[in-house]
Amino acid sequence: MKMWAGRTSGDIADCVNELNASIGFDKRMYAQDIAGSIAHAGMLGKVGILTQAECAEIQQALQVISQEIASGALPIDETAEDIHMFVEQVLTQRLGTLGKKLHTARSRNDQVALDLRMYLKDDAGEICALAHGLAEALCDIAEAHTETVMPGYTHLQRAQPVTLAHHLMAYVQMLLRDLGRLRDASARMNVLPLGSGALAGTTYPLDRQHVADALGFAGITQNSMDGVSDRDFVLELAGALSILMMHLSRLCEELVLWCSWEFRFMSLDDAYATGSSIMPQKKNPDVPELVRGKTARVYGDNMTLLAMMKALPLAYNKDMQEDKEAIFDACDTVKLCLRAMTPMMRSATFHPDVMKRAAQAGFINATDCADYLVKRGAAFRDAYRITGALVKTCIDKGCTLDTLPLANFQAASPLFAQDVYAAIDLLTCVTARDIPGGPAPGQVKTQIAQARALLAKEAL
Ligand code: ARG
């Protein structure tokens, strides 16, 4: 029989039980649920709804329950409806009537809103720490490759020379924004909904701020109906995680390409690659592929949450119970992906020689060749046309701009001199892009230092 039996018999059909129960997935919030109850009981004692002795007894019993669940001594009864009911049930078994007093001035509606906020605050913190670790790993790799020239691409066609450091630091910028979004989401999550009751507050003289202080919340929710029916904090986190996964999947897509024989810019450590059951020569980049694939899951979780909340009337509706599986899955997935990505990146081997060869082959210094003419007085459009014709000559002759004889350059324009070769040298081309945000080694070093300083401030 259900604890809420009264108006109805509480004898629900088995299929309804199965549909209704959330203990299978909300049991992971037991520590938050109990911490919330301990703070609630403390406040009930403070305002005189419980005596000090009652309050102490409840709090102590709750501590023991929490420890027993953690150690496994108290198995969670999967037939209990949800974690809130389970904890209250055990408390009541142990304390009798006193246990039944805990739920005074509280509803499961504000209780679950509290538990989820507390749980996700912790999870967001963990995810920040992991994203932070990946950003640091990328900074470390970048530090070693500020002069490793590689082709930069547009349309996946070789475009202009950059360095591996510059390329990787683009992802660090993305991760820094991800950290900012996670921090913002955590800040808005950081208000206490307890005291909202079922939806209309309570007639008891609760001290909500006291509970907020006890649980480390920065403030309290301002409207009881919103307090129990707001799931923006779940959605904001899911949104931030979706964007974070989008960044990881873009990086992973590049890693898959870079590990291919066609690119061969890098090799993954054997611990982060798999073989094929039939093709003996294969070393497959499953980890980046899986991270790319799992991005879809997180987007799906995000969509589940948006669709679930759409058009829900105020205040609490049972639809909202669906929030937990979606956001837990998103958080678990992101944590797992980040845990695999960081050591995979740190243990990977990059091949600067192959990158350089690729950079030499795609006429990616053609813009620099045109710029050479502009610096000697040509109009950019003329310089562009002359260089285009030179590229065509190279293709016909089967050479590159670097190996094209000076006579060919000078036939195209009298402005060319011997120093053109130095001007279109790949490292010179990169070094010349010496503007804030550009790939010149000095600029990228500054970029790395700035990123590291921001990461140090973000340190959790
Ligand atoms: N298990 C429920 C949930 O996750 C707790 C709140 C139940 N509230 C209610 N009015 N039945 O949403």
Side-chain angles (χ1 to χ4, degrees):
M1 230 229 314
K2 298 290 178 192
M3 283 177 87
W4 41 256
R7 160 74 173 79
T8 65
S9 67
D11 296 327
I12 57 174
D14 286 351
C15 60
V16 176
N17 230 341
E18 204 179 318
L19 184 64
N20 189 40
S22 56
I23 188 120
F25 48 86
D26 62 22
K27 61 183 173 194
R28 64 160 88 189
M29 302 193 303
Y30 80 86
Q32 289 77 12
D33 190 74
I34 295 175
S37 289
I38 290 174
H40 179 65
M43 182 274 297
L44 292 179
K46 176 173 180 276
V47 301
I49 296 171
L50 293 177
T51 66
Q52 284 307 318
E54 286 175 326
C55 165
E57 202 177 335
I58 288 177
Q59 287 186 321
Q60 216 240 323
L62 285 169
Q63 293 281 15
V64 173
I65 293 172
S66 188
Q67 283 156 7
E68 287 181 15
I69 296 177
S71 73
L74 175 62
I76 290 187
D77 174 7
E78 300 273 342
T79 65
E81 187 173 322
D82 56 29
I83 190 64
H84 327 294
M85 286 304 200
F86 173 70
V87 172
E88 200 183 320
Q89 227 165 271
V90 177
L91 187 74
T92 304
Q93 277 157 13
R94 295 186 181 184
L95 300 187
T97 306
L98 179 55
K100 296 187 198 165
K101 292 192 176 180
L102 172 65
H103 209 50
T104 312
R106 191 176 68 169
S107 156
R108 270 188 297 163
N109 296 353
D110 55 357
Q111 191 178 356
V112 73
L114 170 73
D115 294 3
L116 194 54
R117 280 177 190 268
M118 288 173 68
Y119 184 91
L120 294 182
K121 255 194 333 172
D122 288 351
D123 243 16
E126 262 181 62
I127 293 168
C128 279
L130 289 166
H132 199 279
L134 177 60
E136 269 175 353
L138 295 179
C139 284
D140 290 345
I141 301 168
E143 195 99 58
H145 288 285
T146 52
E147 300 202 354
T148 301
V149 176
M150 66 179 281
Y153 295 81
T154 62
H155 312 269
L156 209 52
Q157 305 284 320
R158 290 172 192 170
Q160 289 180 339
V162 293
T163 64
L164 177 59
H166 194 53
H167 197 124
L168 293 179
M169 287 309 291
Y171 286 101
V172 173
Q173 293 300 323
M174 298 176 218
L175 288 169
L176 285 170
R177 292 194 295 276
D178 290 324
L179 285 166
R181 270 183 285 273
L182 288 167
R183 195 188 45 211
D184 287 352
S186 300
R188 262 186 298 278
M189 205 181 281
N190 200 13
V191 283
L192 175 99
L194 217 59
S196 300
L199 77 160
T202 176
T203 52
Y204 297 94
L206 304 188
D207 185 345
R208 297 187 63 206
Q209 191 57 49
H210 179 81
V211 183
D213 293 342
L215 293 173
F217 279 97
I220 60 173
T221 55
Q222 297 300 314
N223 178 298
S224 63
M225 296 182 81
D226 184 49
V228 288
S229 65
D230 165 36
R231 291 294 182 272
D232 290 8
F233 63 99
V234 186
L235 278 162
E236 280 193 57
L237 180 58
L241 295 181
S242 297
I243 299 175
L244 169 58
M245 285 304 288
M246 179 268 286
H247 294 150
L248 297 189
S249 82
R250 292 185 74 179
L251 175 56
C252 285
E253 169 74 9
E254 302 210 279
L255 300 181
V256 171
L257 288 171
W258 292 358
C259 287
S260 70
W261 278 101
E262 281 68 17
F263 277 82
R264 282 208 305 114
F265 286 1
M266 68 182 294
S267 319
L268 294 176
D269 186 81
D270 283 358
Y272 296 93
T274 58
S276 153
S277 60
I278 175 169
M279 296 168 282
Q281 83 284 12
K282 287 296 252 2
K283 176 169 174 180
N284 292 329
D286 290 32
V287 174
E289 289 172 77
L290 283 164
V291 172
R292 198 174 56 181
K294 287 197 183 286
T295 304
R297 273 179 88 108
V298 177
Y299 290 3
D301 293 329
N302 194 9
M303 266 319 294
T304 297
L305 290 163
L306 280 169
M308 181 204 80
M309 288 305 289
K310 177 182 176 294
L312 280 189
L314 294 183
Y316 177 84
N317 299 270
K318 198 65 178 260
D319 316 40
M320 289 157 70
Q321 177 165 287
E322 289 290 308
D323 59 1
K324 282 172 280 303
E325 277 170 297
I327 194 64
F328 292 162
D329 182 69
C331 289
D332 292 350
T333 304
V334 171
K335 284 193 283 186
L336 182 59
C337 290
L338 286 168
R339 270 179 26 228
M341 288 282 295
T342 303
M344 178 186 69
M345 290 307 293
R346 283 201 181 279
S347 61
T349 309
F350 293 91
H351 304 305
D353 49 327
V354 183
M355 292 185 186
K356 183 147 189 221
R357 244 179 286 134
Q360 278 160 344
F363 300 105
I364 62 178
N365 48 4
T367 315
D368 302 85
C369 181
D371 288 343
Y372 172 93
L373 290 175
V374 170
K375 281 172 195 151
R376 277 154 191 77
F380 181 75
R381 274 292 154 233
D382 292 331
Y384 174 95
R385 186 182 38 76
I386 293 164
T387 308
L390 283 171
V391 167
K392 185 164 183 319
T393 308
C394 289
I395 292 170
D396 292 343
K397 288 168 72 80
C399 66
T400 66
L401 287 170
D402 312 70
T403 53
L404 184 71
L406 186 60
N408 290 91
F409 278 106
Q410 289 178 329
S413 165
L415 294 173
F416 281 117
Q418 183 65 36
D419 60 356
V420 67
Y421 296 105
I424 61 171
D425 172 78
L426 287 172
L427 191 56
T428 313
C429 297
V430 163
T431 309
R433 291 180 152 69
D434 190 13
I435 105 160
Q443 295 290 352
V444 176
K445 280 180 194 150
T446 307
Q447 210 191 124
I448 297 171
Q450 280 167 349
R452 286 199 197 280
L454 286 172
L455 287 169
K457 263 206 278 172
E458 281 280 347
L460 297 154

